[in-house]
Amino acid sequence: MTAAATHGGGPTGPDTDELVGRAEELSGLLRDLDAARAGRARAVLLAGEAGIGKSRLAAALGRAAAEAGVQVAVGRCLDEGGAALPYLPFSEVLGALDRAGTALRPVLHGLLPGAPEAPRPTAGDGDSGRLQVFDAVAGAVRDAAAAAPLLVVLEDLHWADRSTRELLAFLLARLGSQRLLVLGTYRSDDLHRRHPLRASLAELVRLPAVRRVELGPLAPDAVLALVRARAATGGVDEATLRRIAARSEGNAFYAEELVAAGSDGLPGGLADVLLTRLDRLGPPAREVLRVASLAERSISHDLLRDASELSAVDLDAGLREAVSHHLLVADPAPGAESYAFRHALLREAVHDDLLPGERVRLHARLAELLARRDDAPGVAAALARHALAAHDLPRALAASVRAAEEARRRHGPAEMLAHTERALELWSAVEDPERLTGITESALTREAAWAASASGDPERGTTLGARAVRVADLGGDPRARAETRRDYAMRLLDSGSRVDAAVAAATGAVELQSGGPPDTELAWSHAVLARAHLSADHAEPAWSHARASLAVARAVHDTAPPADGSAGYRDLSAVCADALITLAFCARMEGDPQAARDRLAGAASLAAASGNRVVELRTVWNRGVSFVEDGLLDAAAEELAEGARRAAAHGLLWGGYGLEFRIAQVRVDVQRGEWDAAVRTAADVDPTLPLRVTGLLAVAGALVGVARGDLHDAEELLAALAAEPPAHDQAALLQGVVGAESARWRGDPALAVDRVAGALGVLRAEYPHHLGELALCALGAAARADLAEAARTAGDPAGADAHAGAAAGLVDEAARTAERGLPRGTSVGPEGRAWLARARAEAARAHGDTAPQVWDPVVETFAGYGDLYRAAEARWRRAEALLGRAHRGGPGTDGEADRRAAAEDLAVAASEADRLGARPLAEAVAALRVRAGDGGPRPGPAAGGGGGSPLTPREHAVLELVAHGLTNRAVGERLFISEKTVSVHLSRAMAKLGASGRAEAVAVAHSRGLLAPRE
């Protein structure tokens, strides 16, 4: 791909001029470019006041990049007063990539310059559509950068629309090992305290691959060199040049314009200097510039011709003069026949110098011309702006409504909101606005309410929804009144507040439509009312209205069945899917999970038929989660894999449900013992993506790594993820579980306690009674039990009691979570019950209660739903308790039976650990078997020399515990033998090693490699 093919016009500026005074800044950008070419993606945010040289520096970098074989794609933002075409700069970038041969996903075709009209998104599909666009743009950039290094330049971000700002944040958060450099420029002097870019910048500069560069004034000698270079053929004397350099105050553009004016005896304002240059031009050139100043970016040749009303000869002469004086530049993109000002300040100066009447006349002329080509992308928004400036309110209103519809089709709800609100402001000032726009005021207000909610402002959405109700009531049309009430209820449900108001609004919608013939609108009103009742915990009316919705839909289908694939068919499918989802939740509340899953399956099929991706993926997700909750792991794995395939087919790979399904797949495969499959899924990532995107999948895969003993890798991953706070509840949960288990297997239960506390703190701050607390509390109790046992061994009963008390507190917290952290009417599933049972068993261990039966429900519940690894862990602990009871003896105990039961538990645990490759558990089981004296394999280093170890397994176990400072009595308790037997084994070991005492025996064993090295 050549630079010309992808430059899209490039940052404007004198292409042949040498960059002056910016060698250091350019060197820094070239270093960033070199890093990008080497596979270390970078982003630079270049700030500076207007005219300071940002575009010139960007152009210099673009030329250097193109010379080095780097692709260059440029996009510019426009000053459209918050109502720009969504994603405009990225549209230009995508156009460049498309021309160069990068394959674009279908969702992006509607964003390409000159693309045909995209289909209207399905209702409720706003967030999914935006995620598709974001994921697809990031994918296109990655694909282009994989083919050859890529420089993306985004100019004038201070004018960026909200959708562009959010897409930029999405893209920069995914910088990893792509061969990509993103350079964004913006005017720092335009960023007032409440400027929307400020908040975006604050987030972006925190990203590790992003740096901000503030471009300051040129140094005095650099300014002087610049003006000398510009005046090389102008005949300006040296003294004047020095005065010009001083007056410019380091602003390169100002200095150039002073030189071009040919004198320093000019008014001090930059605008005055710029306008003085225009005085030297002929009338055709001045008219060309006046017309061009009304366009926010480039203006096409034919539009300039028609608007200026110049003859062909005069137009060509005027254009040639404006270009030769470096006031206008021609767009070098292939096939482009348009012109733009060399610098935005030039356009602003010319535009602001127009007389009021002249400005209105030109805007009116442009509006008239644009109205003839209203079907082209972006024209409606421009037409609305020009018509409003020309005081042509009817045309501005109609164009604003069309611009809002275009923004919705391009998945830009924030820009849609701006257009709809402008239309609503004009509504009362225009005669017969409904005839003019083809929409009622209440319907337009409903559209604005949807846009507000979809763009992340649910409170504004509810306010506009309430206004739509009031407007519809004034009109008196029952259908409109019902529709506005139903939509208002949906906005209230979106906001998550005032559920009672949502019930009242939806009830009003149903009442207004009752008595008439069945139609899809009535079905929707029943469905929304059912959803509102469900949110209000009214199970019976929720069930009733969901069934009513399906009955109405069935009557509509039987009366006048819509054609397959038609809009009516899709709408009918969507309402049936919505009602089935409510019925599924009702069935779940009634304790019938299979009926719930059946209804969700039906809803998924209907949602797919309706084209509603959000509902389709949500239903598959809920089915998968339902299988997990009921302990049906194989069915859950199948359903989640299907969800991942559907998400990928919809273009959601690394955002939204695309990532959620894959993480859930890993977790389910871990539980059902398919660890190799879990590792493959966790490792199947785009290697160019950064850890902040793939980290959640990686830490899910680390569940296997820790269980297999890859503790160093797990700790490195946790350290990398700790650079940023968890942005997701699952991130906090998984990091807490992996961190606690890694610490415990490394023999650091105190660190495990800290990690559990940290994860619980994050979850409880955002999600009170999160069911993930059950696993964390159980692991925290296990760590406390380890510490309590160590304290008792060290003769610290007070410390043991403190840890036991903390373990009991964790059990209480887990019990509260199991009771309160559930959907209404449901009970905790088998996994939750298993973790709660383990928390209780670990707390008993912390208190010194070694009754084996406390581990029975742990083993049975984990094994009952298929998590054989967790069951094996519990068997290990139960065997330890059985052996302890056999050792202690006492009334009513059968030591031999306990030893047989322990041996059986250890054999099963060893077999499962061996099957999974769970090395830490296998070693713990082997060590317990050695302690029990059952002849099992003993852990520890191989014996040195060729003759093997002279010690028996029991003698080795005794000496190892002595090496850790335990007394004979403590050794006996650990090995389930008497203190006297310990003494016998120790005496034999000393004799075999030729040692005269305990300490010497330990030292000799270490020197001969019979014991693990001292830490």
Side-chain angles (χ1 to χ4, degrees):
M1 177 160 75
T2 65
T6 60
H7 201 270
T12 56
D15 293 340
T16 59
D17 287 349
E18 180 183 356
L19 189 68
V20 177
R22 298 298 184 190
E24 181 178 349
E25 292 88 347
L26 181 58
S27 295
L29 292 176
L30 291 174
R31 287 193 294 272
D32 291 316
L33 184 63
D34 289 341
R37 294 172 65 192
R40 300 188 301 277
R42 294 284 188 271
V44 180
L45 300 173
L46 187 60
E49 66 179 34
I52 205 67
K54 302 181 296 297
S55 294
R56 190 184 308 276
L57 183 57
L61 177 65
R63 289 193 295 271
E67 291 170 2
V70 175
Q71 306 173 87
V72 184
V74 181
R76 300 176 190 81
C77 306
L78 301 183
D79 182 12
E80 291 279 10
L85 193 65
Y87 312 112
L88 181 59
F90 282 103
S91 293
E92 295 183 344
V93 169
L94 291 171
L97 299 183
D98 182 57
R99 290 193 298 272
T102 299
L104 303 181
R105 297 181 196 169
V107 72
L108 297 181
H109 292 166
L111 268 63
L112 293 175
E117 186 177 81
R120 180 182 176 91
T122 306
D125 212 18
D127 189 56
S128 173
R130 291 174 67 252
L131 276 176
Q132 274 192 295
V133 169
F134 287 10
D135 208 331
V137 170
V141 170
R142 284 199 305 273
D143 292 345
L150 173 64
L151 168 64
V152 172
V153 180
L154 301 172
E155 289 263 36
D156 297 323
L157 289 175
H158 51 281
W159 289 329
D161 59 273
R162 177 172 168 179
S163 294
T164 291
R165 295 194 302 272
E166 292 174 351
L167 175 52
L168 177 63
F170 182 91
L171 180 64
L172 298 194
R174 282 152 178 76
L175 294 180
S177 59
Q178 307 98 322
R179 295 187 296 172
L180 171 67
L181 174 61
V182 178
L183 175 65
T185 71
Y186 66 93
R187 291 186 190 176
S188 54
D189 50 333
D190 271 17
L191 299 194
H192 52 77
R193 184 170 58 86
R194 302 179 69 177
H195 194 288
L197 185 62
R198 275 190 176 274
S200 299
L201 292 173
E203 294 297 322
L204 293 178
V205 296
R206 295 173 54 195
L207 299 173
V210 178
R211 72 184 184 100
R212 177 161 47 187
V213 175
E214 185 74 33
L215 208 59
L218 287 170
D221 57 341
V223 181
L224 186 57
L226 176 66
V227 297
R228 283 172 174 164
R230 298 299 180 266
T233 59
V236 183
D237 61 82
E238 179 68 14
T240 299
L241 291 179
R242 288 183 176 274
R243 287 194 294 272
I244 288 175
R247 281 187 53 196
S248 71
E249 297 181 344
N251 188 296
F253 184 70
Y254 193 5
E256 287 182 333
E257 293 306 311
L258 284 168
V259 172
S263 170
D264 70 328
L266 296 167
L270 176 58
D272 294 327
V273 175
L274 299 177
L275 294 174
T276 300
R277 290 191 60 195
L278 267 62
D279 291 340
R280 300 180 175 183
L281 302 177
R286 290 199 297 272
E287 182 63 16
V288 163
L289 293 173
R290 281 192 286 266
V291 173
S293 73
L294 272 68
E296 288 295 342
R297 56 170 177 171
S298 61
I299 185 169
S300 65
H301 185 277
D302 57 346
L303 187 60
L304 187 58
R305 176 198 62 216
D306 295 342
S308 67
E309 299 181 318
L310 293 171
S311 67
V313 173
D314 286 345
L315 178 64
D316 289 343
L319 281 171
R320 186 175 295 107
E321 187 175 14
V323 170
S324 65
H325 281 76
H326 298 299
L327 297 170
L328 292 182
V329 292
D331 190 338
E337 294 184 4
S338 58
Y339 299 88
F341 278 88
R342 182 171 72 85
H343 198 286
L345 288 175
L346 278 166
R347 189 199 68 80
E348 293 166 13
V350 176
H351 181 271
D352 292 347
D353 190 54
L354 293 172
L355 295 173
E358 186 180 24
R359 188 179 299 128
V360 169
R361 179 183 63 81
L362 289 174
H363 275 297
R365 181 63 178 153
L366 282 170
E368 182 69 30
L369 294 168
L370 288 172
R372 301 172 188 172
R373 57 188 78 181
D374 195 16
D375 55 343
V379 168
L383 174 56
R385 182 176 64 84
H386 287 300
L388 191 61
H391 310 309
D392 186 348
L393 302 188
R395 179 168 277 164
L397 171 60
S400 294
V401 172
R402 291 194 295 275
E405 176 63 18
E406 183 176 12
R408 180 163 186 166
R409 293 181 187 279
R410 291 171 65 97
H411 305 288
E415 291 68 40
M416 176 186 175
L417 177 61
H419 291 301
T420 52
E421 289 195 316
R422 179 169 62 191
L424 289 171
E425 290 174 0
L426 295 171
W427 194 267
S428 61
V430 173
E431 184 178 351
D432 200 0
E434 289 186 19
R435 180 193 58 79
L436 188 66
T437 61
I439 190 173
T440 65
E441 183 181 5
S442 63
L444 181 61
T445 310
R446 286 166 46 209
E447 293 282 296
W450 177 90
S453 291
S455 62
D457 192 352
E459 292 184 2
R460 180 65 178 154
T462 58
T463 299
L464 286 165
R467 174 182 170 182
V469 171
R470 293 193 299 271
V471 172
D473 285 349
L474 292 174
D477 178 14
R479 185 182 185 88
R481 294 175 64 199
E483 289 175 352
T484 55
R485 279 166 170 75
R486 184 184 68 232
D487 280 11
Y488 178 43
M490 293 173 68
R491 301 291 77 80
L492 288 165
L493 293 173
D494 287 343
S495 70
S497 62
R498 299 180 58 200
V499 176
D500 56 339
V503 170
T507 299
V510 170
E511 291 173 349
L512 284 164
Q513 292 174 295
S514 297
D519 62 8
T520 307
E521 295 303 320
L522 176 58
W524 269 118
S525 294
H526 277 295
V528 172
L529 180 53
R531 199 192 311 170
H533 275 302
L534 186 67
S535 297
D537 200 16
H538 304 155
E540 187 58 37
W543 177 278
S544 174
H545 284 286
R547 302 277 297 187
S549 175
L550 291 175
V552 172
R554 189 176 298 111
V556 172
H557 185 273
D558 292 345
T559 303
D564 287 355
S566 66
Y569 177 85
R570 293 196 301 272
D571 198 25
L572 204 59
S573 299
V575 68
C576 290
D578 194 279
L580 280 175
I581 291 172
T582 298
L583 288 174
F585 280 102
C586 289
R588 188 77 186 177
M589 293 169 68
E590 292 180 352
D592 191 349
Q594 186 55 50
R597 287 191 288 269
D598 290 344
R599 288 174 179 136
L600 286 172
S605 298
L606 288 166
S610 75
N612 192 318
R613 295 179 292 268
V614 172
V615 176
E616 177 189 355
L617 295 178
R618 179 159 54 91
T619 52
V620 177
W621 171 261
N622 283 325
R623 269 178 57 85
V625 170
S626 175
F627 283 125
V628 173
E629 290 173 345
D630 290 336
L632 305 174
L633 298 182
D634 290 342
E638 183 177 345
E639 191 73 12
L640 293 170
E642 172 63 20
R645 286 191 291 271
R646 293 192 188 208
H650 291 319
L652 294 174
L653 300 177
W654 294 105
Y657 281 115
L659 186 57
E660 295 281 359
F661 276 118
R662 299 174 75 178
I663 293 165
Q665 280 183 281
V666 173
R667 296 190 64 186
V668 168
D669 280 340
V670 170
Q671 289 178 299
R672 67 194 190 110
E674 297 294 336
W675 285 10
D676 291 339
V679 170
R680 286 194 298 271
T681 302
D684 183 19
V685 299
D686 186 331
T688 67
L689 291 172
L691 189 62
R692 80 179 54 84
V693 176
T694 62
L696 193 51
L697 192 59
V699 77
L703 293 168
V704 175
V706 166
R708 284 180 166 170
D710 301 325
L711 306 184
H712 178 72
D713 291 346
E715 291 296 325
E716 284 193 339
L717 174 62
L718 291 170
L721 293 173
E724 296 182 11
H728 193 289
D729 63 326
Q730 293 299 309
L733 171 60
L734 289 171
Q735 289 178 45
V737 170
V738 169
E741 298 210 284
S742 176
R744 288 193 63 228
W745 285 126
R746 290 168 58 230
D748 192 348
L751 177 59
V753 166
D754 290 343
R755 286 175 168 174
V756 165
L760 287 172
V762 173
L763 283 182
R764 290 169 180 168
E766 297 291 335
Y767 311 94
H769 307 300
H770 191 294
L771 289 181
E773 290 186 28
L774 297 176
L776 290 170
C777 287
L779 294 174
R784 289 290 187 180
D786 294 341
L787 291 168
E789 288 184 339
R792 275 192 291 272
T793 300
D796 180 11
D801 289 344
H803 290 302
L810 287 168
V811 171
D812 291 341
E813 293 169 8
R816 282 194 296 272
T817 293
E819 179 183 354
R820 302 176 186 174
L822 295 164
R824 292 172 292 277
T826 61
S827 59
V828 67
E831 182 187 6
R833 293 197 302 272
W835 282 114
L836 183 57
R838 179 169 174 186
R840 289 169 173 154
E842 296 287 8
R845 182 166 69 93
H847 280 88
D849 178 1
T850 56
Q853 58 267 28
V854 301
W855 291 97
D856 292 348
V858 189
V859 173
E860 293 163 5
T861 314
F862 273 123
Y865 79 92
D867 195 339
L868 299 183
Y869 170 71
R870 297 295 182 189
E873 284 186 311
R875 286 182 182 274
W876 163 52
R877 286 301 185 192
R878 184 169 68 180
E880 184 178 46
L882 286 164
L883 291 169
R885 186 169 68 182
H887 168 64
R888 292 189 304 274
T893 62
D894 184 345
E896 192 58 35
D898 282 345
R899 288 184 181 277
R900 285 196 302 270
E904 181 180 347
D905 269 344
L906 290 173
V908 173
S911 175
E912 184 64 15
D914 181 65
R915 182 185 74 83
L916 296 172
R919 181 164 49 85
L921 178 59
E923 292 176 352
V925 169
L928 183 57
R929 296 175 78 173
V930 169
R931 289 167 56 196
D934 71 351
R938 107 172 160 244
S949 172
L951 306 178
T952 66
R954 180 64 83 189
E955 291 164 356
H956 183 278
V958 167
L959 193 59
E960 189 170 43
L961 293 173
V962 168
H964 283 84
L966 272 65
T967 65
N968 284 6
R969 181 177 180 181
V971 170
E973 291 175 352
R974 293 289 296 275
L975 298 180
F976 317 110
I977 56 179
S978 68
E979 186 176 355
K980 182 177 180 180
T981 304
V982 171
S983 179
V984 171
H985 286 304
L986 184 57
S987 296
R988 290 174 179 171
M990 290 164 55
K992 290 178 180 180
L993 297 174
S996 59
R998 298 159 60 95
E1000 185 179 357
V1002 170
V1004 172
H1006 276 303
S1007 67
R1008 292 174 59 178
L1010 302 177
L1011 295 177
R1014 295 184 179 91
E1015 294 183 357

